[in-house]
Amino acid sequence: MKNTAASTVSNDLELIEANRQFYDPLWTDARLVSPERFNTWPLVSSLISQPQTRLEIAPGLRPRLPIEGTHFVDISAPAVAKLQAHGANAMQGLVSALPFEDGIFDLVCAFDIVEHVDDDDGALSELSRVAAPGATLLLSVPLHPSQWTAFDEFVGHCRRYEPQSLVAKLAKYGFEIEQSAVYGMQPKSSRLLDLGMWFLTHRRERALWWYNNVFMPMGVRFQKKLTLVAGMIDAEGVDEVLLVCRKINIASKA
């Protein structure tokens, strides 16, 4: 038990340090982008109801759930401070140790986070713990280990998921996939990614300025509409997937 606890602490410290080096500078110089501007908004709008308790984990300054009425948890102090400045109920925290009671959220959102965590089982267990029976989980992850690139390592990914293994892992923690869609804003050009990584490594201030003021606004403007299908999509050639999951009672299903 001691070794497990020590390993968890070590992994959390590594995640905090990786975030401090990469994401803290990004959020320090970035502006908050309202959730209405993302292609996820029609989906989110269809899921919002009153009364409802909502949680979004690791939104940075790109929240997908409404600022008002949502609890936000992020590891980054600059991101939390800016969210709070916009009236958000935001606090620092880790997905592996969420500061909430069991089963209190009706809608949980975790985009681009579990692939960054060394112990993704611990993260999914926490997502399941805080989700109420029948709750909706919005989750996005990169797919196919064979498509691993230097960019994955650069931004702090620990893994990519095989589609069927992902389905089984979610089921282990009580989540059933109801809908899914192709997701993500990563450029397809490997040369463009290589150039971006070079500038982030050697010309960080200039690279962040271009990202925040040019590439991110363009990416938001030219997003493709989400096309949701029932269950898990045919994931061949899909780089990243968005999943709409339902929290089920594992015991009753068994």
Side-chain angles (χ1 to χ4, degrees), residues 8-187:
T8 299
V9 171
S10 175
N11 292 336
D12 287 347
L13 290 175
E14 289 178 8
L15 180 62
I16 291 169
E17 178 59 20
N19 189 87
R20 186 190 68 78
Q21 291 184 14
F22 187 87
Y23 288 100
D24 278 6
L26 176 64
W27 302 137
T28 296
D29 296 323
R31 292 185 295 271
L32 185 141
V33 180
S34 67
E36 293 85 355
R37 296 187 61 192
F38 291 101
N39 64 353
T40 48
W41 185 246
L43 170 62
V44 167
S45 297
S46 72
L47 296 171
I48 294 173
S49 63
Q50 295 295 338
Q52 182 188 65
T53 53
R54 302 189 297 264
L55 170 66
E56 183 166 359
I57 302 159
L61 295 178
R62 314 291 185 244
R64 299 318 201 264
L65 299 188
I67 296 295
E68 184 177 355
T70 300
H71 294 265
F72 295 96
V73 173
D74 200 288
I75 195 174
S76 171
V80 168
K82 289 192 177 184
L83 285 166
Q84 291 173 341
H86 283 80
N89 182 354
M91 65 179 72
Q92 278 189 271
L94 294 166
V95 66
S96 56
L98 295 171
F100 302 107
E101 296 179 5
D102 295 355
I104 63 171
F105 292 107
D106 304 305
L107 177 58
V108 179
C109 181
F111 287 144
D112 302 319
I113 176 61
V114 296
E115 68 269 20
H116 290 266
V117 182
D118 190 68
D119 179 17
D120 62 336
D121 283 290
L124 290 170
S125 177
E126 277 293 271
L127 294 176
S128 179
R129 181 184 67 79
V130 301
T136 298
L137 169 68
L138 299 182
L139 180 77
S140 71
V141 296
L143 298 178
H144 307 301
S146 62
Q147 292 184 20
W148 183 272
T149 68
F151 180 79
D152 289 287
E153 186 170 352
F154 187 76
V155 298
H157 289 174
C158 295
R159 70 191 64 77
R160 284 174 170 266
Y161 290 89
E162 290 290 1
Q164 292 310 309
S165 298
L166 176 61
V167 173
K169 185 178 280 283
L170 287 168
K172 176 182 175 183
Y173 293 102
F175 292 113
E176 188 173 74
I177 299 172
E178 292 189 336
Q179 294 178 291
S180 59
V182 176
Y183 184 67
M185 297 171 63
Q186 180 176 316

